Amino acid sequence: GAVLPRAEGAVRTGFLLGSGSSGACLFRLLRTIAASPNYDVRFLLGSDVAASALADIDLFVVPGGWSLTQMKSLGAVGCSNLVNWVRGGGAYYGTCAGAYLVGQSNAPRTYIGLTPYRPQACPYRGNSTDVKCAFTDDGRKALGLSAKEFTTLYWGGPVFERAPETALPDSDIRTFATYASQNVYSFSTNTIPAMGGRAAIVGGTLGKGKVLTIATHPEY
């Protein structure tokens, strides 16, 4: 097939493939950057991350899918490598499952614990739906945006509960956007946990690196 020309200094971008990563989410994320010469796209399995493949990556993208399966594919060594790589200057971007993955553990689920937020089980399951979110001042400043609200596709992503006592000592990770609407189960009257006003996007720094996790699916 054709090889797209890459610009000098293109961002070496790795996408997590394999068990746990949804092909549909991966494709849509990939489509947003693959045509740009400023990104050099590569594909990594969890075993590659465990084998220190992140050393040759600037940006690591983890798509929606199934976070516990993604974590299993990374293994203990891969998870440790990921945290150390971000701390050393890497940039992590995760949507939906990729946001769950690096959150704090919340029994009975175990996650990597890179961000000081506990992902709560999503309050809406069923078909994908739109949800409104509102940027915080921190979010607008960090992302260079002027908009106060936006509408995006929601499909089982987490509702983040802030857990500042779990923050890694060299991190500064904050709420960048909150949910501004409430969806409920499509097959139940249960509306817990509440979405409105709770974190939907979190981001910031860990050591020399950067982190951005988004519970929704802006790539759609």
Side-chain angles (χ1 to χ4, degrees), residues 85-176:
W85 170 78
V86 174
R87 181 173 275 128
Y92 178 89
Y93 178 89
T95 59
C96 200
Y100 277 107
L101 178 67
V102 294
Q104 290 296 322
S105 294
N106 187 25
R109 293 182 171 87
T110 301
Y111 301 113
I112 293 177
L114 193 154
T115 67
Y117 289 81
R118 290 190 179 92
Q120 304 296 302
C122 64
Y124 174 93
R125 286 197 182 276
N127 295 330
S128 60
T129 185
D130 285 341
V131 67
K132 289 184 179 180
C133 296
F135 285 116
T136 63
D137 289 341
D138 285 332
R140 285 195 297 273
K141 180 179 179 181
L143 301 174
L145 301 172
S146 59
K148 292 186 177 182
E149 286 193 344
F150 63 98
T151 299
T152 183
L153 183 137
Y154 177 84
W155 201 356
V159 172
F160 291 113
E161 177 185 289
R162 193 161 184 269
E165 72 282 2
T166 67
L168 298 175
D170 54 345
S171 70
D172 182 11
I173 297 175
R174 307 181 183 190
T175 301
F176 281 2

Side-chain angles (χ1 to χ4, degrees), residues 17-113:
L17 287 183
S19 298
S21 293
S22 162
C25 297
L26 185 72
F27 170 75
R28 290 185 179 270
L29 281 166
L30 180 62
R31 188 175 64 176
T32 65
I33 71 169
S36 170
N38 296 317
Y39 294 89
D40 182 7
V41 175
R42 301 143 190 230
F43 299 101
L44 302 179
L45 297 173
S47 57
D48 295 323
V49 177
S52 302
L54 290 177
D56 297 320
I57 296 295
D58 303 309
L59 169 65
F60 187 43
V61 178
V62 178
W66 302 270
S67 58
L68 298 182
T69 307
Q70 290 170 338
M71 188 168 178
K72 184 177 180 180
S73 76
L74 290 167
V77 173
C79 292
S80 178
N81 284 350
L82 174 57
V83 175
N84 290 331
W85 170 78
V86 174
R87 181 173 275 128
Y92 178 89
Y93 178 89
T95 59
C96 200
Y100 277 107
L101 178 67
V102 294
Q104 290 296 322
S105 294
N106 187 25
R109 293 182 171 87
T110 301
Y111 301 113
I112 293 177

Side-chain angles (χ1 to χ4, degrees), residues 178-201:
T178 59
Y179 290 104
S181 61
Q182 173 75 45
N183 292 337
V184 299
Y185 283 106
S186 57
F187 50 84
S188 169
T189 58
N190 185 357
T191 60
I192 302 297
M195 297 176 76
R198 301 180 72 179
I201 301 178

